Amino acid sequence: MLSSKKRSLLAISIAATLSSPGFANEDISRTQIEDSKDSVATTQEPEKTERIVVTGSRIKRDSFSVATPIATLSKDALSDAGLGSLSEILVDQMPQIGEGQSNTNSQSSVQNTGLSTIDLRELGTNRTLTLVDGRRVVSNSYSGNYVSLSTIPKGMVERVEIITGGASAAYGSDAISGVVNIITQQDKEGASFNVRTGESTDGGGRELTFDADYGTSYANGRGYLFMSASYDEQFGMEYWDRDRAQQQDYWDYDEKRMCNTMLTAIYDEQNKTAFQCMRDIDQSDWRSLSDSIPGGVFDESSSFRPDAGFWYDGTTLRSDWQEEQHGIHFNQFTMLKVPDKQLSAALKTEFEFDSGTQAYFQLHLSQNDSHNFKSPESEDECDPIVTYSPQNDEFGSDCMGRIPYDNPYMPEEIRAQASERGVKWDRLFQEVGNVINDNDRTTIRSWAGVRGYAWDDWEWDVSLGYGKFKQTQTRANEIVVAHAKYALDAERLADGTIRCKNEAARAAGCVPLNLFGEGSITPEAADYLRVNAEIYTDIKQTTFAAVLTGDLYTLPAGPIASAFGFEYRKDEQSVATNVPQGGITFNYVPHFSGDVSVYEAFAEVSVPLLNNAPFAKHLSAEFSARLADYSWSTTGLIQSYKAGFIYEPVEGYSIRANWARAMRAPTITELMSPPRGDYNTFRDFCDGVTATSTNPGHDNCRQEAGIQAAIATEGVFEDENNSYSPNAGNNELHEETADTYTVGVSLAPAFIPGLRIAIDYYDIQIEDAITALSNDDIITFCYNSAIAYGASNEFCNDIRRDEEGQIVEVKQRLINTDEVRTKGYDIAMQYDYSMGDYGDLTFKLDWGHVIEYSVKSTGPDGQFEDFEEGFLDRDIFEDKGSASLTWRKNDWRVRWSTKYKGSIKRDKEDYENWLSAMDKNQTRCAEQEATCIAEPEALWGNDLPSVTTHDLSLSYTLPMNDDSSLRLYGGIRNLFNEQGPFIIGGRGNFNSAYGGGLGRFAFLGAQYTF
């Protein structure tokens, strides 16, 4: 094996326990406490101090003198969690981490289904830099710098280190909220095989994992080789696996009746609504059905009234259509958890030459495949579909259109009352088949380098890295809209045969389309309609780094440690599709490509100021800076800085503070992407407009022709938007900049051996944050702002409505907004207690509290600020915590762990709209208007209670002989089957923040080591 001093060049180690906000790695923490007591005496016994690389810095130093808070999750904690997904474990165990993309929240994602990412401080995955052994690696999505943790073999992971707060001075762009550093195995000898399986006790959610790894030294200890491979399969969970997922719900708060309402099949003719006050109905009356049925609905005149159109009941044509009586529950097509398969392998090796120079190499390969089974395409006569003309570089739209009046398949009963314009329709294209969203991903990551010593004690490291990511997304059984339009325009010949009217379409294979009745679409017609759309993503990353570390000068308190370096990175990206002209029933993703190069130089110093002085057991300061020159014309020379100190007045008590200027450059997609199809829920500002309503902005709403028509027919315009809101890049974006502050104290009182407490405050302020205004803000700025309504209003130009007044598109353009700010504190405690012959106990607590999470933006009426903490739809819990009690004795380990999420409000917009309605009603009551409601109802389903879950795991290692052992382990997650509160409009009334409906989960595993 390599010498301890030189092997330390490879180690990326945990900071001292006293400088950590969390103590997830109990075994390492105990060792670090002992080491740190000796590390302050570096000037007296330098030969005993092992100086290592600490996450968040390039400087080799003793692990005590670090000003940045670091939290760690150990290999034991990863194993005891009982989950196959590394990202799910981190979200589950660490309060600082929120979920990014996962299999329980990406069901509707165009691009990212099957990714496994995390989000520090809820500031966005793009602002969380994920490293492997301190190195930046290629992204797994064109959406941003998303590193999927499922691409790393779990057997390769030694531990995970997390620093929160800006780290751009050390690692460059993206490290605004912090860094997650995946530390791989360093010196494991021998081989091991592991198998784990688990499943929800209520059914569904089954998982299966196989891991194998092997480590050995070679060439008489001058070299080291480690190999690891993992296979993980998650079988998913369906609508039918949970009764609660099958409960229909379509809630709204009625601002006239001031009551909570639920959509029903009971139509109130007087109020012209099927929404009934919940106090007057039973839960069995709740409805949320769709008119996209297999046989079709024709000339539907209302979404709520009875006898509102023609429809097919099996094969029988009926004229008594009522959507909430005869429709289908579309949630049945939404999986609660998407199934996927992950196969990954990795190899790392290092070799020391006779000269003392070391060479190293690491290679990671992964293959990920996720399958999202969705509904067959559901269309009506004019769902707008994006088209693109490459000849003139213009976007347009198309739709299938009404069924022509003379369509030969049309039943005479329908034709008799049809308009000459044709027949409106809604239908599920069941004969074409279910849409299957398949994401096939291949990732290659590699780097190689050499390092050694210069001038005796200065260390140098030169490396080259290359990564490549390739994704093919297939959307099977989509529909070519133009083909459907041609196929509906059919004629009957004299001999009785039916054909498409358009001669060119016939020459291209047009087959007439019969929409009337279940099974009426022939296999030939289905083949003519069908297209298997594909999106191809290629991302490449090339990196070069040269780093020099050493001591500049020795002060009385110790040496001034330093690091200097240069880095080059080039990112390349290409997105293409096999349907470049769009025009299909699929979120349109245009072809675009680009690249960016960046040259960076950095420097760091750590200055010991006092050591073993009166009232100063230890005092040191650290400073770092980085300059980055991007090839983007919108970004100049980007500067990042960091300054901090750590002060230990007496042994066992320390204070630390840190300031960092961090940055994030815009990504290729953020700068260059044309509009890309996406869906995001919003509420139409014009909902509830009548001919005489006087609410602000309603005069502007009535200028919309479609809204006027709806008022003329129904008396009121009711929002039934399709939630379509494509994302668009902006080539004028520039970098966002953050100032991050952390202040913390650590306590390890000698009179309570084994007790360690850390409290850290953080404040992160991001200026010029890259984001998009919410859909609701865009709509409001169009109809009710200082900017006049009309074509000159840029926000109105981002909104498209159909002929019925419904919003069919709200374009979300990225901008540099004013400020995003979050602040709060973390509390961590660990207590180790020996019971002698009865074993050892470790109690661990991690707690996070968000004081504020705010977003400042500038709109037509000036600057406005939104506070988003405490809202589930923003995924920002004010309080989260985890605690565990672990007992160890010889080969036994038993752990009880508890997770807590505080009370929270479900939806920010719903809550604010209700507050506004309450104010308006109070005004009506004060003015003694007849419309006053004396006892308005509180908002239902918005105040969600706190949720606590408990896990139990057990592990026993059975020695087989001198060189092998068998570890048996198992446990139950969510022991008391807490599935979280009922979430209105959630995925099956569940929310991924509470496990997505998985509930109690039992797992078993075995690991053989030899």
Side-chain angles (χ1 to χ4, degrees):
M1 296 295 293
L2 304 180
S3 67
S4 175
K5 182 177 181 181
K6 294 181 179 179
R7 285 298 302 278
S8 70
L9 289 168
L10 298 169
I12 300 177
S13 179
I14 184 175
T17 303
L18 291 181
S19 64
S20 171
F23 310 105
N25 191 337
E26 294 92 342
D27 293 335
I28 292 179
S29 295
R30 286 195 294 272
T31 303
Q32 292 293 328
I33 279 289
E34 295 169 2
D35 290 345
S36 68
K37 293 177 181 177
D38 294 331
S39 65
V40 295
T42 53
T43 57
Q44 299 174 3
E45 297 179 308
E47 71 281 4
K48 294 184 179 180
T49 302
E50 181 168 354
R51 306 179 68 192
I52 58 178
V53 176
V54 179
T55 297
S57 173
R58 305 281 184 171
I59 296 175
K60 307 286 193 299
R61 69 182 84 179
D62 64 271
S63 58
F64 176 74
S65 52
V66 182
T68 305
I70 301 179
T72 309
L73 200 66
S74 70
K75 194 172 185 64
D76 282 351
L78 298 175
S79 175
D80 289 342
L83 290 170
S85 168
L86 178 57
S87 66
E88 288 181 2
I89 295 171
L90 293 175
V91 171
D92 187 68
Q93 300 284 330
M94 308 299 289
Q96 303 95 328
I97 295 178
E99 61 178 353
Q101 297 287 337
S102 74
N103 287 338
T104 55
N105 69 7
S106 61
Q107 293 92 329
S108 60
S109 174
V110 174
Q111 169 71 11
N112 296 324
T113 302
L115 287 185
S116 179
T117 65
I118 54 177
D119 181 1
L120 270 173
R121 304 293 186 202
E122 310 297 348
L123 287 171
T125 303
N126 262 342
R127 298 186 182 112
T128 301
L129 181 60
T130 302
L131 307 173
V132 179
D133 283 342
R135 294 179 179 274
R136 187 185 291 265
V137 293
V138 68
S139 173
N140 292 111
S141 172
Y142 73 73
S143 298
N145 187 22
Y146 296 176
V147 175
S148 183
L149 301 189
S150 61
T151 59
I152 303 168
K154 284 182 289 297
M156 191 82 171
V157 180
E158 173 63 26
R159 64 184 176 276
V160 181
E161 295 179 358
I162 302 158
I163 65 169
T164 56
S168 289
Y171 297 113
S173 179
D174 306 329
I176 282 183
S177 59
V179 170
V180 176
N181 195 3
I182 311 299
I183 310 300
T184 63
Q185 291 280 1
Q186 304 296 333
D187 52 12
K188 180 177 180 178
E189 294 279 349
S192 67
F193 295 93
N194 178 68
V195 59
R196 180 197 64 91
T197 186
E199 185 169 2
S200 168
T201 57
D202 290 332
R206 185 158 64 95
E207 298 182 4
L208 181 63
T209 300
F210 295 97
D211 298 309
D213 55 70
Y214 173 70
T216 185
S217 57
Y218 61 91
N220 295 321
R222 294 164 58 194
Y224 179 72
L225 172 70
F226 184 81
M227 298 180 292
S228 181
S230 292
Y231 173 81
D232 185 72
E233 182 169 2
Q234 298 192 9
F235 293 83
M237 191 163 62
E238 299 181 354
Y239 164 94
W240 304 106
D241 290 328
R242 293 293 180 270
D243 292 339
R244 194 165 101 185
Q246 299 162 42
Q247 171 63 54
Q248 299 174 38
D249 72 306
Y250 193 153
W251 170 91
D252 194 16
Y253 192 86
D254 190 315
E255 297 185 6
K256 292 182 178 179
R257 292 177 284 177
M258 296 301 290
C259 68
N260 296 278
T261 67
M262 193 69 72
L263 183 59
T264 70
I266 308 166
Y267 186 75
D268 184 342
E269 192 67 46
Q270 179 179 355
N271 293 306
K272 298 186 181 302
T273 183
F275 283 90
Q276 304 296 323
C277 291
M278 294 173 63
R279 61 180 179 245
D280 300 328
I281 59 176
D282 296 325
Q283 190 167 340
S284 59
D285 294 321
W286 298 3
R287 293 289 185 273
S288 179
L289 299 179
S290 169
D291 54 10
S292 291
I293 63 174
V297 178
F298 306 94
D299 266 348
E300 180 183 27
S301 60
S302 172
S303 296
F304 306 127
R305 292 176 180 170
D307 302 323
F310 294 92
W311 68 291
Y312 277 87
D313 177 6
T315 58
T316 303
L317 178 63
R318 297 169 53 172
S319 60
D320 61 343
W321 170 254
Q322 185 180 7
E323 183 168 321
E324 302 308 326
Q325 183 70 33
H326 307 303
I328 62 173
H329 193 207
F330 231 68
N331 280 7
Q332 66 185 279
F333 300 113
T334 300
M335 301 198 72
L336 299 181
K337 189 169 187 178
V338 177
D340 75 341
K341 300 176 182 178
Q342 305 164 4
L343 177 63
S344 55
L347 175 149
K348 63 183 295 185
T349 186
E350 60 205 42
F351 186 81
E352 181 179 340
F353 297 98
D354 292 338
S355 63
T357 300
Q358 300 169 18
Y360 57 90
F361 173 74
Q362 196 161 157
L363 173 67
H364 293 201
L365 304 173
S366 73
Q367 179 70 36
N368 303 82
D369 194 9
S370 68
H371 299 271
N372 191 2
F373 297 89
K374 305 173 74 69
S375 74
E377 272 302 337
S378 166
E379 295 297 315
D380 63 25
E381 95 278 1
C382 209
D383 281 341
I385 303 298
V386 177
T387 61
Y388 174 69
S389 172
Q391 289 77 22
N392 52 18
D393 191 28
E394 289 184 357
F395 290 95
S397 66
D398 196 5
C399 66
M400 296 183 188
R402 298 189 178 203
I403 303 173
Y405 178 83
D406 60 352
N407 182 282
Y409 294 112
M410 188 182 300
E412 290 304 320
E413 185 178 355
I414 297 178
R415 196 190 321 271
Q417 54 80 56
S419 164
E420 292 184 359
R421 296 172 57 202
V423 173
K424 298 189 301 179
W425 57 275
D426 298 89
R427 195 184 194 279
L428 193 69
F429 283 80
Q430 194 172 42
E431 297 91 336
V432 179
N434 286 67
V435 171
I436 302 174
N437 184 13
D438 183 278
N439 278 297
D440 189 302
R441 301 181 174 95
T442 301
T443 307
I444 301 173
R445 297 188 178 111
S446 64
W447 57 88
V450 291
R451 52 190 159 200
Y453 285 85
W455 310 301
D456 294 330
D457 57 356
W458 281 75
E459 303 168 7
W460 56 268
D461 188 326
V462 178
S463 64
L464 181 67
Y466 176 77
K468 180 177 175 61
F469 170 72
K470 183 177 181 63
Q471 173 173 324
T472 300
Q473 182 190 44
T474 303
R475 291 271 300 206
N477 301 324
E478 297 289 353
I479 295 171
V480 181
V481 171
H483 286 189
K485 181 184 289 187
Y486 289 133
L488 286 173
D489 189 17
E491 61 184 358
R492 188 187 301 272
L493 302 180
D495 62 0
T497 59
I498 299 174
R499 69 176 187 179
C500 301
K501 286 184 180 180
N502 188 284
E503 183 177 354
R506 290 201 305 271
C510 181
V511 178
L513 177 61
N514 180 4
L515 294 179
F516 299 96
E518 292 187 28
S520 61
I521 300 176
T522 65
E524 295 77 14
D527 289 341
Y528 175 64
L529 299 178
R530 184 184 297 112
V531 61
N532 295 328
E534 294 185 343
I535 301 175
Y536 316 105
T537 301
D538 285 282
I539 302 175
K540 299 177 184 178
Q541 183 181 82
T542 304
T543 60
F544 171 80
V547 183
L548 183 67
T549 63
D551 296 338
L552 289 173
Y553 185 75
T554 300
L555 298 174
I560 300 175
S562 66
F564 304 92
F566 168 82
E567 293 181 348
Y568 166 79
R569 183 175 78 255
K570 182 174 184 178
D571 291 301
E572 303 170 81
Q573 175 179 295
S574 174
V575 179
T577 177
N578 66 341
V579 283
Q581 296 183 340
I584 66 170
T585 55
F586 174 51
N587 291 350
Y588 179 67
V589 177
H591 171 79
F592 66 99
S593 61
D595 62 77
V596 58
S597 297
V598 56
Y599 297 86
E600 299 179 277
F602 64 88
E604 299 182 51
V605 293
S606 176
V607 183
L609 301 175
L610 294 171
N611 218 359
N612 291 325
F615 304 106
K617 181 73 175 177
H618 180 81
L619 174 63
S620 64
E622 58 184 57
F623 307 93
S624 57
R626 176 180 289 258
L627 302 178
D629 184 15
Y630 278 79
S631 58
W632 298 131
S633 61
T634 54
T635 57
L637 189 65
I638 298 176
Q639 305 171 45
S640 303
Y641 304 102
K642 177 183 173 182
F645 74 86
I646 183 166
Y647 171 51
E648 186 187 15
V650 294
E651 186 173 333
Y653 300 86
S654 66
I655 302 170
R656 60 177 171 269
N658 189 75
W659 167 81
R661 168 67 58 86
M663 51 72 64
R664 185 178 80 84
T667 66
I668 295 172
T669 297
E670 288 172 334
L671 277 167
M672 303 184 64
S673 173
R676 310 184 314 279
D678 197 8
Y679 288 85
N680 194 5
T681 301
F682 56 86
R683 182 171 182 171
D684 193 338
F685 175 87
C686 298
D687 182 41
V689 171
T690 66
T692 59
S693 58
T694 59
N695 289 359
H698 279 202
D699 284 341
N700 291 330
C701 292
R702 280 188 286 266
Q703 295 187 52
E704 298 280 0
I707 292 178
Q708 288 181 357
I711 293 173
T713 303
E714 301 289 335
V716 62
F717 173 74
E718 294 182 341
D719 177 22
E720 297 177 14
N721 71 78
N722 62 2
S723 302
Y724 184 62
S725 55
N727 304 306
N730 182 352
N731 59 12
E732 296 181 359
L733 292 174
H734 56 86
E735 74 276 8
E736 55 186 28
T737 304
D739 286 314
T740 69
Y741 305 86
T742 60
V743 179
V745 296
S746 297
L747 313 173
F751 58 88
I752 309 179
L755 175 65
R756 293 169 291 278
I757 301 173
I759 304 173
D760 285 278
Y761 169 84
Y762 65 87
D763 187 340
I764 303 174
Q765 302 175 54
I766 307 172
E767 299 289 342
D768 296 327
I770 299 172
T771 187
L773 293 176
S774 72
N775 289 326
D776 296 284
D777 284 338
I778 293 170
I779 300 169
T780 300
F781 293 161
C782 170
Y783 295 101
N784 185 33
S785 72
I787 302 179
Y789 166 81
S792 61
N793 186 319
E794 62 176 324
F795 300 103
C796 293
N797 294 332
D798 288 335
I799 302 170
R800 287 200 303 121
R801 293 181 181 270
D802 64 17
E803 62 182 14
E804 296 177 351
Q806 298 299 331
I807 294 179
V808 295
E809 177 182 297
V810 178
K811 185 185 297 182
Q812 286 196 327
R813 290 175 291 112
L814 289 172
I815 59 173
N816 285 102
T817 191
D818 292 351
E819 178 184 285
V820 176
R821 183 178 186 180
T822 183
K823 57 183 179 181
Y825 58 82
D826 299 319
I827 301 175
M829 181 176 71
Q830 181 173 312
Y831 180 55
D832 297 317
Y833 180 72
S834 175
M835 299 188 297
D837 293 340
Y838 297 99
D840 297 318
L841 286 176
T842 297
F843 173 76
K844 180 180 177 295
L845 170 70
D846 286 283
W847 188 273
H849 177 76
V850 178
I851 298 173
E852 177 186 320
Y853 191 109
S854 61
V855 179
K856 288 183 181 178
S857 303
T858 299
D861 302 314
Q863 190 177 74
F864 60 97
E865 186 172 19
D866 284 327
F867 292 90
E868 302 189 347
E869 70 275 6
F871 289 98
L872 183 64
D873 65 317
R874 304 302 200 262
D875 197 26
I876 302 173
F877 289 83
E878 291 182 292
D879 289 287
K880 291 196 297 184
S882 63
S884 64
L885 181 65
T886 305
W887 173 75
R888 295 180 180 83
K889 187 178 187 305
N890 298 329
D891 297 317
W892 288 92
R893 185 172 75 245
V894 180
R895 179 183 303 220
W896 178 282
S897 60
T898 299
K899 270 82 67 180
Y900 171 86
K901 291 188 174 181
S903 58
I904 195 170
K905 293 188 183 301
R906 176 185 57 83
D907 187 274
K908 179 177 171 63
E909 277 73 32
D910 283 345
Y911 178 67
E912 292 178 344
N913 290 335
W914 173 74
L915 289 177
S916 175
M918 293 289 284
D919 288 340
K920 293 175 183 176
N921 182 67
Q922 188 175 10
T923 300
R924 293 194 298 267
C925 293
E927 296 175 356
Q928 297 184 344
E929 295 183 10
T931 55
C932 161
I933 304 298
E935 297 182 0
E937 288 186 355
L939 207 57
W940 180 85
N942 206 59
D943 290 302
L944 306 178
S946 62
V947 171
T948 304
T949 58
H950 305 273
D951 304 339
L952 176 65
S953 64
L954 181 144
S955 171
Y956 175 69
T957 301
L958 177 66
M960 305 293 288
N961 53 50
D962 291 341
D963 299 319
S964 65
S965 64
L966 177 65
R967 186 173 73 92
L968 304 174
Y969 62 95
I972 301 176
R973 293 178 47 79
N974 195 353
L975 188 62
F976 302 112
N977 203 25
E978 171 60 68
Q979 298 190 352
F982 186 99
I983 306 297
I984 300 170
R987 294 178 180 87
N989 305 309
F990 297 103
N991 187 277
S992 60
Y994 303 106
L998 182 65
R1000 184 187 295 115
F1001 182 85
F1003 65 95
L1004 289 171
Q1007 182 180 37
Y1008 180 60
T1009 303
F1010 60 96

